Amino acid sequence: MTPGDLPPIARDYRARIAEWARGFYRDPGALRDAALSDPVLTRDSTGRLLWLVCLDVDAGPGSGGRQMQAFGFAPGYVSLPLSRAGSSVNRADCATAPLTWRPWPGLHARP
């Protein structure tokens, strides 16, 4: 697989992850020490080629502490953790993928 096998990841992927986090975490303003991986080309559990992005964040002791979440992006498709539509990537994908991490201090801020 090479990046040329799939169009570049949507430019708004960070905003989509931030929107998901605001709806998922009990107190999004309390999120600390967030890091987001650079997108990595992978195949999900269905064989779909997509961009995997992982979020590593401290949600605080009352919200589960340190957590890893996996997101998948492809044209016309998004895989979000705990989505009713189902998720085709999971935390294990984050553990096995060759990821490059970047701090994301603005995660909890509203766009």
Side-chain angles (χ1 to χ4, degrees):
M1 291 182 291
T2 67
D5 294 334
L6 191 68
I9 192 168
R11 290 190 301 198
D12 70 343
Y13 78 93
R14 284 176 169 253
R16 295 182 83 173
I17 293 171
E19 180 181 338
W20 174 89
R22 282 190 296 276
F24 178 77
Y25 291 105
R26 183 180 324 166
D27 183 4
L31 298 176
R32 298 288 179 258
D33 195 25
L36 196 65
S37 73
D38 288 342
V40 174
L41 193 62
T42 191
R43 289 200 185 270
D44 67 9
S45 60
T46 70
R48 177 184 290 114
L49 189 62
L50 53 73
W51 293 103
L52 172 69
V53 179
C54 298
L55 170 65
D56 181 32
V57 66
D58 182 353
S63 295
R66 184 128 221 113
Q67 298 179 15
M68 178 85 60
Q69 305 291 349
F71 302 84
F73 296 91
Y77 176 80
V78 177
S79 176
L80 303 171
L82 303 176
S83 168
R84 288 185 180 171
S87 178
S88 61
V89 294
N90 61 52
R91 295 173 190 163
D93 296 309
C94 296
T96 59
L99 301 176
T100 301
W101 293 93
R102 302 198 187 280
W104 195 14
L107 168 61
H108 61 282
R110 290 243 175 233

